[in-house]
Amino acid sequence: MTSELIYNRIINFSINEMIPDRVVVYKSQGIKQEPKVSKKINDLYDHALSIFTQDVEPKGILKEISIPEFAEVFQGNGENEENTPVQHIFPLADSLALFAFTLGKTISDTISGLFSRKDFALAYMLDSIASASADKAAFMVEQKRDKSSKTLLYSPGYCGWHISGQQQLFKKLEPGQIGISLNDQFLMIPLKSISGVLITGKKEIHNFDHDFTFCAQCTTFSCIDRQEHVIN
Amino acid sequence: MNILQQISDQIDLGDDEKVYELTTTAIEQKIPVKQILDEGLLQGMNIVGRKFKEHEIFLPEVLMAAKAMNAGMELVKPLLLSGNVPMKARVVIGTVRGDLHDIGKNLVGVMLKGAGFEIIDLGNDVTPERFIETAKAEGAQFIGMSALLTTTMPVMKEVVDRIRSENLEDKIRTLIGGAAVSKGYAEEIGATAYCYDGSNAIDYLNSVI
Ligand code: B12
């Protein structure tokens, strides 16, 4: 990011800081690091990364929001699970900010183009780099917020916050300004985009047990890593 | 070394140009096209599939092999069609209406092609009508659907329901996959099968055709 975050603003990310960790990308493709990754795969990664750095147009948008205003956004279309972690966390926050980020349209078009040209391995590697990069954006804004407290991004579609919540979030945040639109199934276009609310407060507020009804079906368990990072 | 063996080896190495050259030569040598397919191209992909299952190689290497296999298939496919040599089965695949996540569906398509299935890929944002009309028009035995969002997975049920209401269940079977769905969901909506990845889909299809 070019400077510390200021509220209600568009954030330009530098391309270099959007490059994800190679190990994270390999892990997402099930590639084992031991005994060693083949030259073919390493070369493929390097090739995909050079395309990534050419095509990526990272942009974020951030908007400070009050607790009562967010309560309304979180209510969404009334489709959330009855009990969710976010509903217990946000009222305890020191500050809240809606956030959206995109890697832009070009990268998705390039991935599709590579697939059509039957460059399957390159297309998939580029896709995985882009997905890991979009995830990294969340981590980066979390780190850049006020250092005296802890910030985590919570997103519609996760932990009982129904994905239809995107609609209210979009109304308030207006990420059209950075080129993100929402389709009628609440999918963001361009595809490599993320959204949510940045909740800043004492680290303890982010701690919750994993015994919500939806935890049983969860396959990501990303909350556990996130909490460990913040709390320890 | 026998030319079919060479084709198979070059697929394993992921060299599409060599596979193209060797397949051209094999056709010029009048080797029966079905034999080129079975003992060269598919044989190569079988080896790659086995190595992948045994974690000797990873998905990128499988995809490089698939690209090489494709280079040979481009030459062989028109001859198979003109000679009326049947492919294993025809599968219409796509990502359902409202959903644009297509990387998983693409990977499954590539892997199924590599295993000798004929794939008609409708892309993403595919309506139930398009899935069914295409399967009917093309005489496909399977429809494979992908959904990554809970909001788009009900489209799969629409497809299954329409197949039932048109009494096509014996002709067209449905396969579902993607992050949003599960074996339980397949059972709930009456889809024929749920597959968690491309290898799993190959195993499933090979077991039922
Ligand atoms: C990477 C990822 C992202 C990336 C990009 C996604 C992409 N595909 O481009 C980023 C970080 C951008 C992202 C963003 C979001 N994501 Co996301 N994402 C994922 C994740 C972790 C992996 C998806 C992926 O790319 N997998 C790799 C591909 C290769 O796998 P695949 O598509 O599943 O396909 C394989 C199998 O499923 C199967 N398969 C697939 N289709 C088919 C079809 C047939 C016929 C068969 C046989 C098999 C089959 O075979 C494939 C090959 O192995 C999933 C969780 C998960 N574990 O799957 C969440 C997930 C899809 N995301 C989710 C959400 C909520 C979001 C966001 C809405 C969050 C937010 N508010 O910011 C946004 C939405 C983005 C948008 N454009 O609208 C949810 C969706 C839940 C829901 N309620 O619908 C998931 C399920 C995570 C969760 N909560 O559990 N995401």
Side-chain angles (χ1 to χ4, degrees), chain A residues 28 124 127 130-132 134-135 155-159 163 166 182 186-196 218-220, chain B residues 59 93-94 101-105 107-108 112 143-151 175-180 194-198 201:
Chain A
S28 77
Y124 182 42
D127 188 273
S131 288
D135 264 343
S155 299
Y158 279 89
C159 302
I163 195 167
Q166 292 275 49
L182 201 62
F186 315 109
L187 182 80
M188 288 182 280
I189 299 159
L191 204 53
K192 303 296 180 193
S193 304
I194 58 166
S195 67
C218 180
T219 54
T220 60
Chain B
L59 205 46
I93 66 168
H101 288 96
D102 60 2
I103 193 82
K105 177 271 296 170
L107 293 182
V108 171
L112 289 178
I143 291 179
M145 295 174 274
S146 182
L148 257 81
L149 298 176
T150 43
T151 47
L175 242 70
I176 65 169
Y194 158 76
C195 297
Y196 54 81
D197 67 7

Side-chain angles (χ1 to χ4, degrees), chain B residues 159-196:
Chain B
V159 173
V160 172
D161 287 349
R162 285 179 75 130
I163 288 178
R164 217 176 270 147
S165 69
E166 292 188 33
N167 287 321
L168 292 168
E169 290 144 293
D170 294 339
K171 293 203 179 90
I172 306 173
R173 283 179 273 184
T174 45
L175 242 70
I176 65 169
V181 300
S182 60
K183 188 165 184 290
Y185 186 68
E187 282 162 10
E188 185 189 317
I189 65 170
T192 322
Y194 158 76
C195 297
Y196 54 81

Side-chain angles (χ1 to χ4, degrees), chain A residues 3-230:
Chain A
S3 61
E4 280 298 306
L5 300 180
I6 310 169
Y7 306 142
N8 302 337
R9 56 163 292 195
I10 290 175
I11 313 156
N12 288 309
F13 291 76
S14 87
I15 288 172
N16 275 342
E17 64 189 341
M18 291 322 301
I19 296 175
D21 189 347
R22 189 189 286 254
V23 175
V24 172
V25 176
Y26 285 177
K27 204 172 156 208
S28 77
Q29 294 207 353
I31 300 166
K32 296 224 167 70
Q33 305 287 318
E34 302 292 335
K36 84 184 213 312
V37 177
S38 70
K39 180 171 182 319
K40 249 189 196 173
I41 293 183
N42 279 328
D43 288 349
L44 180 75
Y45 176 89
D46 292 340
H47 187 182
L49 189 61
S50 70
I51 301 174
F52 175 80
T53 52
Q54 262 172 43
D55 284 0
V56 80
E57 298 146 344
K59 268 201 173 69
I61 183 168
L62 192 82
K63 190 173 197 173
E64 183 89 348
I65 184 171
S66 69
I67 290 177
E69 274 177 314
F70 181 68
E72 221 172 280
V73 170
F74 185 65
Q75 185 58 33
N77 299 353
E79 292 184 69
N80 294 344
E81 296 287 334
E82 213 168 283
N83 190 16
T84 68
V86 178
Q87 79 196 44
H88 301 292
I89 300 170
F90 81 81
L92 307 175
D94 296 338
S95 71
L96 298 170
L98 299 180
F99 174 68
F101 168 88
T102 183
L103 288 173
K105 178 175 179 296
T106 311
I107 194 87
S108 294
D109 291 348
T110 302
I111 295 166
S112 306
L114 287 170
F115 248 108
S116 322
R117 290 206 304 277
K118 313 217 184 311
D119 257 325
F120 312 127
L122 189 59
Y124 182 42
M125 189 58 88
L126 186 57
D127 188 273
S128 298
I129 290 177
S131 288
S133 170
D135 264 343
K136 190 182 176 195
F139 183 72
M140 282 167 52
V141 283
E142 287 169 357
Q143 301 307 303
K144 291 274 179 171
R145 301 282 290 180
D146 184 356
K147 302 233 167 29
S148 61
S149 48
K150 294 291 178 185
T151 302
L152 277 186
L153 180 72
Y154 294 86
S155 299
Y158 279 89
C159 302
W161 185 1
H162 196 265
I163 195 167
S164 58
Q166 292 275 49
Q167 209 164 28
Q168 288 301 324
L169 192 151
F170 265 58
K171 258 191 205 150
K172 263 269 174 312
L173 179 62
E174 300 175 329
Q177 297 172 64
I178 56 165
I180 310 179
S181 61
L182 201 62
N183 79 2
D184 58 3
Q185 302 300 320
F186 315 109
L187 182 80
M188 288 182 280
I189 299 159
L191 204 53
K192 303 296 180 193
S193 304
I194 58 166
S195 67
V197 61
L198 286 159
I199 303 187
T200 302
K202 291 197 189 72
K203 60 184 181 183
E204 295 77 24
I205 70 169
H206 297 291
N207 208 359
F208 59 86
D209 290 334
H210 311 115
D211 53 4
F212 292 87
T213 47
F214 43 82
C215 295
Q217 285 113 50
C218 180
T219 54
T220 60
F221 306 109
S222 50
C223 64
I224 298 176
D225 284 351
R226 281 153 45 96
Q227 283 173 345
E228 258 173 26
H229 197 85
V230 163

Side-chain angles (χ1 to χ4, degrees), chain B residues 79-99:
Chain B
L79 303 175
L80 287 171
L81 291 177
S82 64
N84 282 327
V85 181
M87 297 284 287
K88 268 186 181 170
R90 201 168 276 179
V91 187
V92 170
I93 66 168
T95 300
V96 300
R97 185 185 61 215
D99 208 331

